[in-house]
Amino acid sequence: MEASAALNIFRKYLERFVVFNEAEWIVFTQHLSFSSLKKKHYFTEPGKVCDKVGFIVTGAVRYFHIKDGEDITGYFSFENEFVSSYKSYLTGLPGYTYVQALEDTKLITFTRRDMEQMLANPMLAYKMERFGRLVAEHYLCCYEDRVISFLTQTPEERYLQLLSTGKEILQRMPQHYIAHFLGITPVSLSRIRRRVMVSSA
Amino acid sequence: MEASAALNIFRKYLERFVVFNEAEWIVFTQHLSFSSLKKKHYFTEPGKVCDKVGFIVTGAVRYFHIKDGEDITGYFSFENEFVSSYKSYLTGLPGYTYVQALEDTKLITFTRRDMEQMLANPMLAYKMERFGRLVAEHYLCCYEDRVISFLTQTPEERYLQLLSTGKEILQRMPQHYIAHFLGITPVSLSRIRRRVMVSSA
DNA sequence: CTAAAACGTTAACAAAAGATAAGAAAAGAC
DNA sequence: GTCTTTTCTTATCTTTTGTTAACGTTTTAG
């Protein structure tokens, strides 16, 4: 995909948050970069400050942590979604999360420095504050749902809910990643799947 | 506590997000209300749109869900903290959460309508967008940590971490609320406490 | 194409958590 | 103060999950 097509897709996506006029868009795009991430390469790693946000044009990434030497996948992002180690990006402190490309991935990125410049630019400041607010609110709602699911649902219930809402994750992610995403081990998910199979047969 | 003292505390608290000048503060405060919530009364309930955000001047609240007829406490807010059913507030859709006063609680509140008016008021718009962004980002970071704790930590590890960081919750909340907050049953938390006792003795 | 790595299932066992009930202690209501 | 409710612990039993390992299959890398 060529850059201008990717930018148009990005612009269209952003309209769910803010709509830029032509003059604003020109300035905004001056702060954007294009980058590629080969499969298995890292968008960010623990100990590093994740100083950027990416928009995935093509590809997919997973977020994971290492716990006792083992790799725990916590989340995924796909085409037309943002990717970042948000807390690290927002606080400017080193993160604890690996973010890794699962396929060759093409991104549009802006750095925290870019965002700060736009927030300091009277032409864009208001719209960028609003943009930041709406994006943060969007993710806040996602996180609220997810925390509630850990509090009030069993792993089996979380899996059944994913079956009904998580088409893309189920189709594109190996099962052991999905297991950790649900907060359980791959072996346990395999058992849950058998239970669900049997009881619905 | 009298209203002006409460407002001063609120203003001081808000400075971690935005600083209002005198003219702005006057307009801002015109959108604030004072309210009281008797112990065990509800700030919001499932099925209702939570159309407001509160700032707790004195008192405390807990957030909970009913699952299979049982009461699952998910979170707490204390003095000098905001309280809302955030997703419901942000989306304008009915929520699923009870928010209940644990003690007689005094609040400063503003409604979504108030916020929308301020966001539409050129005098305040920019600062309120920024305020909303920074508050949402703050809670986003809290939620990120909490989700990661569910993915990478055992209940015992979550409890030990709470011991080292959650002074106020531990001091002020009964243990069965804390258990659900950690994602386990009260009986299980009691066992964990015994395990921890024994192994550290 | 071939070797190696990754993936999913199953089994066996251990550890932990859930459910239920009972009893003691503490807190709250009147 | 007394009575009631709430809270916490403990015990028993069941269910679920974790751990480890084995096995067959699929995918990937060179």
Side-chain angles (χ1 to χ4, degrees), chain A residues 174-177 187 190-191 193-194:
Chain A
Q175 197 170 302
H176 63 291
Y177 289 169
V187 175
S190 185
R191 284 187 293 228
R193 281 162 54 81
R194 183 155 51 110

Side-chain angles (χ1 to χ4, degrees), chain A residues 2 18 20 27 39 42 57 70 76 83 85-86 88 95 100 110 115 117 122 126 139-141 144 174-175 190 194:
Chain A
E2 56 177 319
V18 293
F20 293 101
V27 178
K39 182 172 177 170
Y42 294 101
V57 177
E70 202 193 3
F76 315 97
V83 51
S85 184
Y86 298 103
S88 176
Q100 182 189 48
F110 57 84
M115 179 56 86
Q117 286 171 356
Y126 171 76
Y139 283 100
L140 186 62
C141 291
E144 186 175 306
Q175 197 170 302
S190 185
R194 183 155 51 110

